[in-house]
Amino acid sequence: MSTYRVAVFTGEKTIEFKELELKKPLGTQALVKIDSCALCTLEQRVYNGVMRYYPFAGGHEFAGTVCEIGDKVVHLKPGDHVTARILTNCGSCYYCRNGHENQCVISFQASLHEGINGPGGLSEYILIDESLLYKMANDINLSYAALTEPLACCVHSISQGNIELGDDVAVIGVGIMGAFHIKLAKLRGARVIAIELDPERLEIAKEMGADVLVDAGKCNSVEKVIELTEGRGANVVFCTVANPQSAAEAIAMAGKLGRVVLYSSFHPKLPIELDVNHVHYSEMIITGSVNPKIKDFYVASKLLSTGIVNPARLISEEVPFENIDYALQRAIDPETYRVIVKI
Ligand SMILES: [Zn+2]
Ligand SMILES: [Zn+2]
């Protein structure tokens, strides 16, 4: 019997390697040898003890190579590079049946890795249904391919913003998600105003294509955006930081007929002060964005495979599987972008 290793979070800041039996793919399954797995906030929160779901087989942003396929697999063959939409949907609830699978009633429930709670991408192998796999270019760097899921989340958010050519788009926060928003808004033909406190992150914003950089530590960002838009306010604002005060600013800097997308969730979820007449008179739309749809995931896989989006600058460090503890310590450091575990 051959075996493989999977990393399991068994308690706060405790990770153990478990040895599991390597099984053959059946029917529509493929066996994927995982190459890279990025550490998202979900893994960081479980590691930190903020979310206590132990035991937890973490890792939902991964990419690898198909090594064996079941007899009913149609679109994949051994050797193909793939990533997976592993945080999936039920397919049968009200939202799934109405074309809003990202709002699925179970979408936040982690899947199972061979009976262990969690998506299980921090593993040498994974057995997974073809329908959840997305083929990537054969020459893609698999660390980049592992970023399909976070990019897909941003693709969904960008479509919520309905950007038109020439729009003034403000992006609050230049973490990895803000950086992807900047790139995608540029691809949609916007003039992008990046707002961020950290000057080093403003440099990243520039590299991702931002037209105007606003150092939020040095000025009032709401006033600055209004000034930059001849007094009108932005057409679209994306808030990518978890601070409710930034949500209030996002709404305040949007102009008439503006669209505000609250991309990030908020911690703590404190109430904000809202100028209700600003909303009334401007006819603005305030919305959120949560989870990618199937199409968003496909679009993200294509943007990365073709090199239209290059995430090289958003990878802070690549760490071997053996040093997974160190990788998580690096990932929870707010200074880092994505840390990738190389399996
Ligand atoms: Zn993620
Ligand atoms: Zn559903």
Side-chain angles (χ1 to χ4, degrees), residues 40-43 60-61 87 149-150 153 177 338:
C40 185
T41 38
L42 172 64
E43 285 71 34
H60 63 275
E61 299 178 358
L87 298 181
E149 193 263 356
C153 293
M177 298 305 186
R338 273 293 188 274

Side-chain angles (χ1 to χ4, degrees), residues 1-6 18-22 113-114 116:
M1 175 184 92
S2 51
T3 60
Y4 70 98
R5 286 180 309 160
V6 54
K18 296 245 189 277
E19 245 355 91
L20 296 177
E21 183 192 344
L22 191 59
H113 182 98
E114 301 298 320
I116 308 171

Side-chain angles (χ1 to χ4, degrees), residues 134-196:
Y134 290 71
K135 192 170 168 339
M136 305 296 286
N138 275 337
D139 58 354
I140 195 169
N141 177 332
L142 287 167
S143 291
Y144 298 1
L147 298 178
T148 305
E149 193 263 356
L151 180 62
C153 293
C154 299
V155 168
H156 182 64
S157 179
I158 289 289
S159 57
Q160 294 286 86
N162 282 322
I163 298 170
E164 293 189 23
L165 284 172
D167 270 356
D168 290 310
V169 171
V171 176
I172 302 177
V174 190
I176 181 171
M177 298 305 186
F180 277 146
H181 275 80
I182 290 167
K183 178 68 189 175
L184 295 171
K186 283 306 294 174
L187 290 170
R188 284 280 184 105
R191 171 199 187 220
V192 176
I193 304 167
I195 301 162
E196 167 61 55

Side-chain angles (χ1 to χ4, degrees), residues 82-303:
V82 287
T83 187
R85 180 175 167 268
I86 193 123
L87 298 181
T88 178
N89 59 300
C90 75
S92 51
C93 74
Y94 173 85
Y95 303 100
C96 284
R97 294 264 155 102
N98 282 286
H100 304 288
E101 68 276 7
N102 63 315
Q103 289 285 352
C104 175
V105 293
I106 63 127
S107 62
F108 271 127
Q109 270 177 29
S111 46
L112 288 179
H113 182 98
E114 301 298 320
I116 308 171
N117 175 44
L122 287 163
S123 172
E124 289 169 329
Y125 290 92
I126 194 164
L127 207 48
I128 187 163
D129 199 86
E130 179 185 22
S131 63
L132 303 178
L133 289 168
Y134 290 71
K135 192 170 168 339
M136 305 296 286
N138 275 337
D139 58 354
I140 195 169
N141 177 332
L142 287 167
S143 291
Y144 298 1
L147 298 178
T148 305
E149 193 263 356
L151 180 62
C153 293
C154 299
V155 168
H156 182 64
S157 179
I158 289 289
S159 57
Q160 294 286 86
N162 282 322
I163 298 170
E164 293 189 23
L165 284 172
D167 270 356
D168 290 310
V169 171
V171 176
I172 302 177
V174 190
I176 181 171
M177 298 305 186
F180 277 146
H181 275 80
I182 290 167
K183 178 68 189 175
L184 295 171
K186 283 306 294 174
L187 290 170
R188 284 280 184 105
R191 171 199 187 220
V192 176
I193 304 167
I195 301 162
E196 167 61 55
L197 281 164
D198 177 347
E200 277 176 38
R201 292 196 162 196
L202 280 174
E203 272 310 303
I204 304 265
K206 196 166 154 192
E207 288 174 39
M208 297 306 279
D211 299 279
V212 189
L213 308 177
V214 173
D215 184 335
K218 292 205 177 115
C219 65
N220 176 319
S221 54
V222 175
E223 284 169 11
K224 190 72 191 167
V225 168
I226 289 171
E227 179 195 316
L228 286 165
T229 54
E230 298 166 318
R232 289 187 301 270
N235 297 104
V236 187
V237 185
F238 295 95
C239 179
T240 73
V241 297
N243 175 5
Q245 186 49 36
S246 300
E249 288 166 10
I251 295 164
M253 68 177 67
K256 289 188 180 185
L257 306 168
R259 276 99 56 208
V260 176
V261 181
L262 302 181
Y263 172 80
S264 177
S265 54
F266 295 91
H267 309 278
K269 53 166 190 170
L270 296 171
I272 58 168
E273 218 165 87
L274 178 69
D275 176 347
V276 285
N277 272 340
H278 177 50
V279 179
H280 170 77
Y281 287 113
S282 69
E283 300 187 330
M284 69 166 55
I285 293 169
I286 303 170
T287 184
S289 177
V290 68
N291 302 333
K293 291 179 138 187
I294 290 168
K295 183 182 174 188
D296 302 319
F297 212 97
Y298 175 69
V299 168
S301 73
K302 222 176 149 189
L303 291 173

